[in-house]
Every structure is written in C-alpha cells, then in structure tokens.
Amino acid sequence: FWIRARDHSVAYPRLAIIISKKIVPLAVTRNFLKRLVRETFRQHSSDLPPWDFLLYWSGGVPRPKGTTVALELNRAWGSLED
C-alpha cells in the first residue's frame, strides 16, 4: 500500500481508502482491510497533521495477517506524525 497526504483547510486529518476488486477480489478481505486501516487511523489521528490522507492498496493480498498489516500501518502513521 501507499499513503499520499495533502494539506486542506479543515483542522483535523481525513482518510480515504481505495482497495479495488481487481487487487483484492474477496469482499470479506477488502472489508477487513478497510476496518483495519480505519482503526489504526483512529488510533493515530490525534497525532497526525490536518491533511487529507489517501491510502491506495496496490498489491494483492491472498490472506492478510491482521497483525502484520496493523504493524505496517502503525509504522506508516507513526512516520507521518508531527
């Protein structure tokens, strides 16, 4: 996945998630990943700058392990904190 950030005029961070059917065909897996992304974003949102964040899932995930994905996301959010 990759994250792109952009300034905006609102005083809080916002998140957009893109995970296509072509990349992750099972709806259950896509929804799991989206819930995981949202939860890690919520945990870090108070420390993030007031930007628009776009998370684009670019690689196929046959069976994602929640802990591995969560660790990577936490590391990514942590690197973006003020």
Side-chain angles (χ1 to χ4, degrees):
F1 65 88
W2 55 265
I3 299 172
R4 170 174 271 160
R6 189 170 159 197
D7 284 334
H8 64 82
S9 60
V10 182
Y12 54 89
R14 299 186 296 184
L15 175 67
I17 304 168
I18 300 172
I19 303 175
S20 76
K21 276 190 207 179
K22 193 181 276 186
I23 301 297
V24 182
L26 292 174
V28 172
T29 307
R30 279 195 314 277
N31 292 333
F32 168 76
L33 291 171
K34 289 178 186 180
R35 283 193 308 273
L36 194 59
V37 169
R38 281 189 210 108
E39 182 57 31
T40 59
F41 182 77
R42 275 189 211 107
Q43 291 171 358
H44 291 274
S45 64
S46 63
D47 300 324
L48 292 171
W51 295 347
D52 288 333
F53 293 94
L54 170 65
L55 185 131
Y56 178 75
W57 201 273
S58 57
V61 181
R63 288 187 184 263
K65 298 208 183 320
T67 54
T68 306
V69 174
L71 286 172
E72 287 294 318
L73 286 167
N74 284 327
R75 188 171 54 87
W77 296 130
S79 69
L80 295 169
E81 292 174 358
D82 286 334

